[in-house]
Amino acid sequence: MLPLLRTKRYFPPKKLIQTTHFFFSTNNHHGPKTNHPSPPPIQVLLTESAGRGVFATRKIEPGELIHTAKPILSHPSLASLDKVCYFCLKSVVKGSGFEGREALFCSEKCREEAKGFYEVEKKADWSAFVAHCRIRGLKYPLLAKRLACMVISGATSAGSLDILQPERLSAEMISQMEDEFGLLRGALEDSGMTDEQLTFLNIEWYAGVLARIRINAFRIELAGGSYEDLLASAIASVESEAAVGNAVYMLPSFYNHDCDPNTHIIWLQNVEARLKALREIEAGEELRICYIDASMDRDARRNLLSNGFGFECHCPRCMSND
């Protein structure tokens, strides 16, 4: 199953009217090796009716690693806080990692990478905020909390998610966010953060961030095993453990849905995403992933996509009643 928490609609390719390029690393080199990774064989194109989509710039072979992507933002699930690295979400046996005051890190590198935002986080008492999220089953506010701490620490800008498509939020939905926002801001104020440091942190910013997180966040399920083993069975389903957290990425957020995808996204040992081809992809063809379990029947898929993701799927597989 591909538990991708996304709500973009499927559209067949249309006339391309604008091109935006995002470069991410790939381990596939088709020429002499250099000191720098080659850009992936893809480009992001803006179409007349589909918004952004990801298209191949050359023929991509079945099983080929198209690119990898590190998250803009990630956070462990509440159930995994004592089981995975607070930064990269890699499974860690408590006592064998590099532990902070409450957080668990798998390595000195991850602890250093997290140092900026974690220095802000650990000054605050998050017990009321976490309890609120736990009781209501909320996960995305944890990502918003992480982002706020990153902004305060200078690790990123307040508008770092602005490029991503937002969900349309009703006034009622925004009103329901006010309690958790108050707990977030209150925890930071009580920790000694000044009004100047928290200038960006208002309900409008918080709602805008959640509007983007809600339809661009991926649920992270670590597959385990080796990448080579997975490539050997590229079109097979990945046996996943329980979700260890959620993350937001730049380029993977631009992939559209198809119930018969030509591309697969996986996580092996940590939060770094790997996109691979499930079959041969021609130059100019759009790369698509499946947001749900593609093994379900048509009615079940369409019902889940409609009720859980807010759109009617019109991909070729659904339209052929498969």
Side-chain angles (χ1 to χ4, degrees):
M1 177 175 179
L2 295 178
L4 311 182
L5 307 183
R6 311 288 310 293
T7 58
K8 288 187 178 180
R9 296 184 61 188
Y10 165 83
F11 292 91
K14 299 292 184 181
K15 179 182 177 183
L16 305 179
I17 58 176
Q18 183 176 329
T19 304
T20 306
H21 297 269
F22 293 88
F23 296 104
F24 290 73
S25 67
T26 175
N27 293 328
N28 293 323
H29 296 273
H30 295 272
K33 290 186 177 181
T34 65
N35 293 328
H36 303 286
S38 60
I42 53 175
Q43 58 184 334
V44 176
L45 300 173
L46 181 62
T47 68
E48 289 181 337
S49 59
R52 298 185 185 99
V54 180
F55 292 80
T57 57
R58 62 162 172 79
K59 183 177 178 180
I60 300 174
E61 299 296 334
E64 181 177 336
L65 175 61
I66 301 167
H67 70 88
T68 63
K70 293 185 178 180
I72 308 170
L73 182 65
S74 65
H75 198 286
S77 65
L78 292 177
S80 298
L81 285 173
D82 62 346
K83 302 179 181 69
V84 302
C85 177
Y86 200 53
F87 183 74
C88 77
L89 309 189
K90 180 180 179 180
S91 296
V92 179
V93 176
K94 195 166 186 178
S96 65
F98 294 75
E99 299 176 39
R101 180 171 149 190
E102 293 185 356
L104 183 65
F105 295 100
C106 70
S107 66
E108 181 64 28
K109 179 180 178 182
C110 280
R111 189 172 69 82
E112 284 299 313
E113 291 275 1
K115 186 175 181 179
F117 70 77
Y118 186 56
E119 288 298 317
V120 175
E121 281 193 30
K122 69 181 185 181
K123 292 178 182 177
D125 179 0
W126 298 105
S127 56
F129 180 82
V130 169
H132 177 89
C133 293
R134 192 186 302 276
I135 291 171
R136 291 161 179 76
L138 303 175
K139 51 194 175 184
Y140 299 139
L142 299 172
L143 288 167
K145 179 205 74 170
R146 172 68 56 86
L147 181 61
C149 293
M150 291 171 66
V151 174
I152 293 170
S153 72
T156 192
S157 67
S160 58
L161 300 188
D162 287 355
I163 192 173
L164 301 180
Q165 176 186 339
E167 180 182 13
R168 293 182 180 179
L169 301 178
S170 66
E172 181 180 0
M173 294 170 70
I174 295 175
S175 177
Q176 292 173 351
M177 297 175 181
E178 290 180 353
D179 286 345
E180 65 210 46
F181 166 71
L183 292 171
L184 169 61
R185 181 165 178 117
L188 289 169
E189 288 176 339
D190 291 345
S191 73
M193 297 298 159
T194 66
D195 288 341
E196 183 178 358
Q197 289 175 298
L198 300 178
T199 300
F200 72 96
L201 190 54
N202 51 48
I203 188 62
E204 289 78 16
W205 179 87
Y206 185 78
V209 164
L210 278 187
R212 287 166 173 81
I213 290 174
R214 284 163 64 103
I215 67 169
N216 290 288
F218 289 80
R219 179 182 175 184
I220 309 304
E221 294 188 354
L222 302 181
S226 70
Y227 186 54
E228 289 72 20
D229 290 339
L230 290 172
L231 283 180
S233 56
I235 60 176
S237 297
V238 176
E239 294 294 331
S240 298
E241 300 172 1
V244 297
N246 296 275
V248 178
Y249 303 83
M250 184 62 71
L251 184 52
S253 294
F254 299 148
Y255 280 76
N256 288 313
H257 167 80
D258 197 303
C259 291
D260 183 21
N262 56 15
T263 305
H264 186 36
I265 182 169
I266 58 172
W267 296 269
L268 296 181
Q269 304 297 334
N270 56 37
V271 75
E272 183 175 62
R274 290 164 168 79
L275 283 291
K276 65 175 183 176
L278 290 174
R279 56 176 179 266
E280 184 177 287
I281 301 172
E282 298 295 334
E285 183 179 351
E286 184 176 5
L287 282 68
R288 304 189 189 99
I289 57 179
C290 186
Y291 297 174
I292 59 172
D293 183 354
S295 68
M296 296 187 295
D297 63 39
R298 176 182 180 270
D299 290 343
R301 294 195 314 271
R302 299 196 83 188
N303 183 60
L304 179 56
L305 289 167
S306 177
N307 294 330
F309 300 98
F311 71 93
E312 298 292 332
C313 185
H314 299 290
C315 74
R317 184 181 173 196
C318 284
M319 298 310 292
S320 65
N321 295 318
D322 180 5

